[in-house]
PDB file of all heavy atoms in Angstrom:
ATOM      1  N   LYS A 142      -7.692   6.455   7.280  1.00 80.00           N
ATOM      2  CA  LYS A 142      -7.630   7.814   7.747  1.00 80.00           C
ATOM      3  C   LYS A 142      -9.015   8.435   7.910  1.00 80.00           C
ATOM      4  O   LYS A 142      -9.311   9.129   8.826  1.00 80.00           O
ATOM      5  CB  LYS A 142      -6.741   8.717   6.788  1.00 80.00           C
ATOM      6  CG  LYS A 142      -6.470  10.043   7.269  1.00 80.00           C
ATOM      7  CD  LYS A 142      -5.402  10.732   6.373  1.00 80.00           C
ATOM      8  CE  LYS A 142      -6.004  11.001   5.082  1.00 80.00           C
ATOM      9  NZ  LYS A 142      -5.020  11.855   4.234  1.00 80.00           N
ATOM     10  N   HIS A 143      -9.906   8.120   6.960  1.00 77.00           N
ATOM     11  CA  HIS A 143     -11.251   8.524   7.064  1.00 77.00           C
ATOM     12  C   HIS A 143     -12.009   7.962   8.289  1.00 77.00           C
ATOM     13  O   HIS A 143     -12.705   8.673   8.993  1.00 77.00           O
ATOM     14  CB  HIS A 143     -12.075   8.139   5.755  1.00 77.00           C
ATOM     15  CG  HIS A 143     -13.533   8.419   5.756  1.00 77.00           C
ATOM     16  ND1 HIS A 143     -14.080   9.644   5.737  1.00 77.00           N
ATOM     17  CD2 HIS A 143     -14.564   7.625   5.936  1.00 77.00           C
ATOM     18  CE1 HIS A 143     -15.329   9.634   5.820  1.00 77.00           C
ATOM     19  NE2 HIS A 143     -15.728   8.316   5.959  1.00 77.00           N
ATOM     20  N   LEU A 144     -11.890   6.606   8.443  1.00 77.00           N
ATOM     21  CA  LEU A 144     -12.691   5.878   9.537  1.00 77.00           C
ATOM     22  C   LEU A 144     -12.096   6.452  10.860  1.00 77.00           C
ATOM     23  O   LEU A 144     -12.886   6.505  11.819  1.00 77.00           O
ATOM     24  CB  LEU A 144     -12.503   4.488   9.393  1.00 77.00           C
ATOM     25  CG  LEU A 144     -13.177   3.882   8.160  1.00 77.00           C
ATOM     26  CD1 LEU A 144     -12.850   2.371   8.121  1.00 77.00           C
ATOM     27  CD2 LEU A 144     -14.562   4.183   8.165  1.00 77.00           C
ATOM     28  N   VAL A 145     -10.774   6.673  10.971  1.00 76.00           N
ATOM     29  CA  VAL A 145     -10.188   7.191  12.268  1.00 76.00           C
ATOM     30  C   VAL A 145     -10.776   8.472  12.580  1.00 76.00           C
ATOM     31  O   VAL A 145     -11.071   8.656  13.707  1.00 76.00           O
ATOM     32  CB  VAL A 145      -8.559   7.279  12.164  1.00 76.00           C
ATOM     33  CG1 VAL A 145      -8.055   8.063  13.269  1.00 76.00           C
ATOM     34  CG2 VAL A 145      -8.043   5.770  12.129  1.00 76.00           C
ATOM     35  N   GLY A 146     -10.941   9.364  11.589  1.00 71.00           N
ATOM     36  CA  GLY A 146     -11.564  10.678  11.795  1.00 71.00           C
ATOM     37  C   GLY A 146     -12.985  10.525  12.213  1.00 71.00           C
ATOM     38  O   GLY A 146     -13.528  11.284  13.101  1.00 71.00           O
ATOM     39  N   VAL A 147     -13.719   9.547  11.638  1.00 67.00           N
ATOM     40  CA  VAL A 147     -15.187   9.459  11.859  1.00 67.00           C
ATOM     41  C   VAL A 147     -15.397   8.852  13.315  1.00 67.00           C
ATOM     42  O   VAL A 147     -16.283   9.433  14.078  1.00 67.00           O
ATOM     43  CB  VAL A 147     -15.856   8.605  10.783  1.00 67.00           C
ATOM     44  CG1 VAL A 147     -17.269   8.305  11.263  1.00 67.00           C
ATOM     45  CG2 VAL A 147     -15.855   9.355   9.499  1.00 67.00           C
ATOM     46  N   TYR A 148     -14.705   7.755  13.558  1.00 69.00           N
ATOM     47  CA  TYR A 148     -15.064   6.882  14.875  1.00 69.00           C
ATOM     48  C   TYR A 148     -14.245   7.321  16.024  1.00 69.00           C
ATOM     49  O   TYR A 148     -14.643   7.264  17.219  1.00 69.00           O
ATOM     50  CB  TYR A 148     -15.021   5.520  14.589  1.00 69.00           C
ATOM     51  CG  TYR A 148     -15.892   4.937  13.473  1.00 69.00           C
ATOM     52  CD1 TYR A 148     -15.516   4.610  12.252  1.00 69.00           C
ATOM     53  CD2 TYR A 148     -17.260   4.790  13.937  1.00 69.00           C
ATOM     54  CE1 TYR A 148     -16.549   4.138  11.368  1.00 69.00           C
ATOM     55  CE2 TYR A 148     -18.215   4.343  13.009  1.00 69.00           C
ATOM     56  CZ  TYR A 148     -17.801   4.076  11.719  1.00 69.00           C
ATOM     57  OH  TYR A 148     -18.870   3.583  10.808  1.00 69.00           O
ATOM     58  N   ALA A 149     -12.962   7.826  15.776  1.00 69.00           N
ATOM     59  CA  ALA A 149     -12.121   8.166  16.849  1.00 69.00           C
ATOM     60  C   ALA A 149     -12.045   9.690  17.127  1.00 69.00           C
ATOM     61  O   ALA A 149     -11.455  10.183  18.002  1.00 69.00           O
ATOM     62  CB  ALA A 149     -10.728   7.685  16.599  1.00 69.00           C
ATOM     63  N   GLY A 150     -12.601  10.511  16.148  1.00 69.00           N
ATOM     64  CA  GLY A 150     -12.665  11.889  16.329  1.00 69.00           C
ATOM     65  C   GLY A 150     -11.298  12.566  16.005  1.00 69.00           C
ATOM     66  O   GLY A 150     -11.066  13.764  16.575  1.00 69.00           O
ATOM     67  N   LEU A 151     -10.353  11.884  15.381  1.00 67.00           N
ATOM     68  CA  LEU A 151      -8.998  12.465  15.059  1.00 67.00           C
ATOM     69  C   LEU A 151      -9.003  13.272  13.872  1.00 67.00           C
ATOM     70  O   LEU A 151      -9.633  12.961  12.814  1.00 67.00           O
ATOM     71  CB  LEU A 151      -7.981  11.337  15.018  1.00 67.00           C
ATOM     72  CG  LEU A 151      -7.815  10.536  16.326  1.00 67.00           C
ATOM     73  CD1 LEU A 151      -6.770   9.415  16.006  1.00 67.00           C
ATOM     74  CD2 LEU A 151      -7.433  11.385  17.524  1.00 67.00           C
ATOM     75  N   ASP A 152      -8.271  14.377  13.918  1.00 67.00           N
ATOM     76  CA  ASP A 152      -8.199  15.278  12.800  1.00 67.00           C
ATOM     77  C   ASP A 152      -7.252  14.532  11.644  1.00 67.00           C
ATOM     78  O   ASP A 152      -6.225  14.155  11.925  1.00 67.00           O
ATOM     79  CB  ASP A 152      -7.546  16.552  13.221  1.00 67.00           C
ATOM     80  CG  ASP A 152      -7.555  17.592  12.147  1.00 67.00           C
ATOM     81  OD1 ASP A 152      -7.793  17.224  10.879  1.00 67.00           O
ATOM     82  OD2 ASP A 152      -7.191  18.729  12.326  1.00 67.00           O
ATOM     83  N   GLY A 153      -7.903  14.455  10.511  1.00 62.00           N
ATOM     84  CA  GLY A 153      -7.099  13.729   9.479  1.00 62.00           C
ATOM     85  C   GLY A 153      -5.931  14.520   9.051  1.00 62.00           C
ATOM     86  O   GLY A 153      -5.105  13.901   8.302  1.00 62.00           O
TER      87      GLY A 153
END
Side-chain angles (χ1 to χ4, degrees):
K142 191 169 66 170
H143 172 75
L144 294 179
V145 165
V147 171
Y148 294 106
L151 298 178
D152 188 350

